[in-house]
Amino acid sequence: MSLPSMMIEAGEQRVGAGAIASQGTKGLGPARAGLEHFKSLTANGAPVEGWFRPDLAKLRDVFIGLHAGDNPEPEIGSAVAIYAGDILIADMWGGWSDRDRTRAWEDDTLVQIQSAIKGIVATCIHILVDRGLLALDEPVATYWPEFAANDKGRIKVSHILAQTSGLIYAEGVAPGDFYRPDAMAAALAAQPALWEAGTQAGYQMVTQGFLLGELVRRVDGRTIGRFIAEELSGPLGADLHLGLDNEQISRTADLVFPEASPQLSIDPQSLAFKAMSGIPGPPPLISNAPEWRRSEIPAANGHATARGLARIYAAVAGSWDDDGLFSRATLENAIEEQHDMVEIVLGRHYHTAAGYILHSPPIVELGGRPTAFGHHGMGGSIGFADLDGAIGFAYVTNRLHARPTNGPRSTALIEAFYEALD
């Protein structure tokens, strides 16, 4: 991947990666200096508000349009945020945080981002690689000896990140085990893989998080949720969490699932159904429950504001200029394409890096940018970095769709952003 040629002017001098650590989710006045503010009600009564750099007026218009119904999938509640380096250049939110539209979406509303958390978990792995505690080409069993059981000694850390480990589901686990990362990890360590590592891709819907979380615990001693809090969210002032406390739950939006959600009608004999091993019930029954939100389910139940998710990806992108979370060499390895296979669980064709998804149309649209990488989540949320401008982009929503792609809402916002730059 070549050095980015286009840099976005942020209107301010860039500062170090930890410079906004004290901002958190409040006190954002300095970060919004130089941005234009808007606040309005759409014709259908949705409140919409935000801040944007003047040249991103089209992004504002598209965001308002999504809440006004100008899309095949009108919003219930959502937010979009963009950083250029350490500079916040767009921060918009609107709609409602519940199905009945009784609670307005606020600037600090959290929402579950589903598999979009996978990219953040991968970022934790690359931090540990940069510190010399993990190596992508090393067998998992080097750090987790029990994992070698049933001829899994050749599975590398990179295979788990690239979705080619063959560990699609955990055998013999009870529904309640989903809330116990130790039980899920133990089951995965004991069982055989479905195929030889690296020969086939299969989306590790929930198992990837438990596998990577156990690796973090083995070499660092912390749970993955604590690692995120202490190494990413805290230092960067990013409102993103894995395992919520009571205050965070109080400002979390409810997920609204589509009536025809495939997650409610998957063939029990299918690989996709098995890939949800350990889930204690259909998603609508659990995703809005306090016990679910308090748990650490590293591939599925991260919660974030758009601003928090974008902030972390901007810090990842900054690593290209040695101003981010790890060295440029670590970043180059992290975003090198591992394969472009069709994964067999949900039948999606991804261009896959080490824990990140590259631009993979039509499944994951990242504005056609060869320097972009990130991860989407079931139902529409997405976060990604773009080395071209040290961009961190995030869109989060509570109205989920049943499409296999990142969908028309985030795609419209991504297109509007990049059109504004051209």
Side-chain angles (χ1 to χ4, degrees), residues 55-277:
D55 62 318
L56 299 180
K58 182 173 182 179
L59 178 74
R60 172 205 59 194
D61 294 344
V62 170
F63 185 73
I64 293 173
L66 294 180
H67 286 274
D70 299 345
N71 193 278
E73 296 176 352
E75 297 285 18
I76 293 179
S78 69
V80 63
I82 308 171
Y83 278 85
D86 299 320
I87 309 303
L88 183 66
I89 62 173
D91 183 19
M92 308 177 194
W93 60 93
W96 311 96
S97 59
D98 63 323
R99 179 191 290 272
D100 295 331
R101 295 170 169 81
T102 62
R103 294 184 287 122
W105 193 290
E106 306 290 348
D107 72 335
D108 64 348
T109 294
L110 294 165
V111 68
Q112 184 177 304
I113 58 175
Q114 290 75 244
S115 285
I117 193 63
K118 287 183 170 74
I120 303 305
V121 171
T123 297
C124 296
I125 295 296
H126 295 304
I127 289 173
L128 293 171
V129 168
D130 199 62
R131 295 175 182 174
L133 297 176
L134 288 171
L136 298 185
D137 289 333
E138 194 70 21
V140 172
T142 299
Y143 314 104
W144 180 2
E146 300 93 325
F147 186 83
N150 271 304
D151 199 30
K152 297 197 303 301
R154 292 184 296 276
I155 297 178
K156 300 177 181 179
V157 175
S158 59
H159 291 136
I160 297 175
L161 287 166
Q163 307 280 1
T164 59
S165 72
L167 291 167
I168 303 305
Y169 54 86
E171 296 178 352
V173 294
D177 289 342
F178 200 73
Y179 295 123
R180 297 178 52 216
D182 58 337
M184 296 296 288
L188 290 163
Q191 70 189 55
L194 296 177
W195 57 77
E196 183 180 349
T199 62
Q200 190 166 236
Y203 193 58
Q204 302 155 135
M205 195 179 301
V206 299
T207 56
Q208 186 190 55
F210 292 120
L211 292 166
L212 296 178
E214 182 64 12
L215 274 173
V216 170
R217 191 187 70 81
R218 293 273 172 158
V219 304
D220 178 83
R222 288 175 283 184
T223 69
I224 186 66
R226 183 179 166 196
F227 190 94
I228 289 171
E230 295 178 354
E231 299 286 349
L232 294 174
S233 302
L236 295 172
D239 204 358
L240 181 146
H241 315 277
L242 183 65
L244 303 184
D245 60 26
N246 288 338
E247 183 277 328
Q248 292 156 354
I249 289 175
S250 71
R251 55 188 175 90
T252 295
D254 293 335
L255 294 185
V256 180
F257 285 77
E259 293 182 4
S261 172
Q263 281 70 38
L264 304 183
S265 57
I266 294 177
D267 179 359
Q269 303 305 313
S270 69
L271 193 56
F273 185 89
K274 293 179 180 179
M276 295 188 291
S277 56

Side-chain angles (χ1 to χ4, degrees), residues 327-344:
S327 69
R328 177 167 168 169
T330 295
L331 177 59
E332 288 178 333
N333 289 332
I335 62 178
E336 181 178 356
E337 184 170 11
Q338 301 295 304
H339 66 80
D340 67 346
M341 294 185 280
V342 175
E343 58 85 13
I344 67 170

Side-chain angles (χ1 to χ4, degrees), residues 310-331:
R311 177 69 188 101
I312 293 176
Y313 270 115
V316 175
S319 301
W320 189 265
D321 295 321
D322 298 319
D323 191 28
L325 296 174
F326 30 68
S327 69
R328 177 167 168 169
T330 295
L331 177 59

